[in-house]
Amino acid sequence: MIHLVRFKLSAYARSHRLFQPTIGLFAMLFVFYSTLAPPGKELPAYADSAGLLILVFAWAARGLLDTEPPTQRLISMTAAGRPGREIGAGLLAALTVNLGMAAIAVGLPLLHGFAAMPAPADLASGVALHGLGVSAGTALGALTSRPILASPAVSMLALLGGYLALLLISLTPAGHLAVPIMPWMRAANAGLLGEVLLPISAATLFWTAASLLLYTRLRRLNP
């Protein structure tokens, strides 16, 4: 399975699809930190970054899972021994790419973006929020990838629409069953993130797990 993950990462890099979300990542970070965040505002900046970059993480995961043509996926399944290994390798490869992007999103402002270094607790919270963003983005990208939605146009519309739906749902009482993007942004700006981080994490991970289970089910029905 590790060899299959390496194969998928190599194919993704060689296809140059990786450049698209990477450019989007740096463009968004440039917008976020074109003006230095003032002292004490590091965590709100991280919270906004983690929420908005879900779209980039989903884009990256979708691109990686779109790289292999259907015939190559069947060959990979055969080589892996069973379909679950190929599906898991794809998700693990997408997660690896997104963790690398999240590391850039967390580390770059420490070099240029903050007027002062964040407190250790704020830095840890920023890392945690980007981790939640990675999990949600990977799940959304998987559900809108070519193995699930064959049409590239429909896939892209579903990705954008899915992200907008998550934003809107997070503003409603039903947001606790989805990804509470707006609540974590508001809590960070109000200095209350520590009080709500646990339920926010639980809601995000629940949605991620449910989405990945659905993706796995659909892949097994339509390899």
Side-chain angles (χ1 to χ4, degrees):
M1 186 170 175
I2 293 177
H3 293 294
L4 190 54
V5 170
R6 291 176 179 172
F7 171 76
K8 290 178 179 293
L9 290 173
S10 176
Y12 187 39
R14 292 181 180 181
S15 71
H16 304 297
R17 289 175 179 265
L18 179 59
F19 288 112
Q20 299 169 1
T22 300
I23 292 172
L25 171 69
F26 281 104
M28 294 185 76
L29 291 177
F30 176 78
V31 172
F32 291 154
Y33 301 110
S34 56
T35 301
L36 295 181
K41 294 297 183 180
E42 296 85 10
L43 183 54
Y46 270 149
D48 294 345
S49 168
L52 297 177
L53 285 177
I54 289 175
L55 182 60
V56 174
F57 298 145
W59 188 7
R62 171 182 173 271
L64 185 144
L65 296 171
D66 281 359
T67 301
E68 287 184 296
T71 302
Q72 180 59 54
R73 284 198 301 273
L74 291 174
I75 294 174
S76 297
M77 285 183 178
T78 303
R82 59 176 184 265
R85 288 181 178 175
E86 190 277 331
I87 296 171
L91 293 175
L92 185 56
L95 181 63
T96 300
V97 170
N98 281 335
L99 287 175
M101 290 190 169
I104 294 173
V106 172
L108 190 61
L110 300 177
L111 301 176
H112 178 78
F114 295 149
M117 289 296 291
D122 289 347
L123 178 59
S125 296
V127 170
L129 288 177
H130 279 84
L132 296 177
V134 163
S135 67
T138 302
L140 177 59
L143 285 176
T144 56
S145 61
R146 184 165 56 186
I148 306 301
L149 299 174
S151 169
V154 172
S155 174
M156 182 55 72
L157 288 174
L159 189 150
L160 295 173
Y163 177 69
L164 291 176
L166 288 178
L167 284 178
L168 293 175
I169 293 174
S170 70
L171 294 172
T172 70
H176 67 281
L177 296 177
V179 183
I181 303 170
M182 297 305 295
W184 84 43
M185 290 183 181
R186 291 174 176 174
N189 279 276
L192 302 174
L193 184 62
E195 301 178 10
V196 300
L197 186 57
L198 184 58
I200 282 175
S201 300
T204 303
L205 295 177
F206 172 80
W207 184 88
T208 299
S211 299
L212 292 180
L213 286 173
L214 176 60
Y215 170 77
T216 302
R217 177 63 176 170
L218 293 174
R219 282 293 312 275
R220 287 181 178 274
L221 292 175
N222 184 26

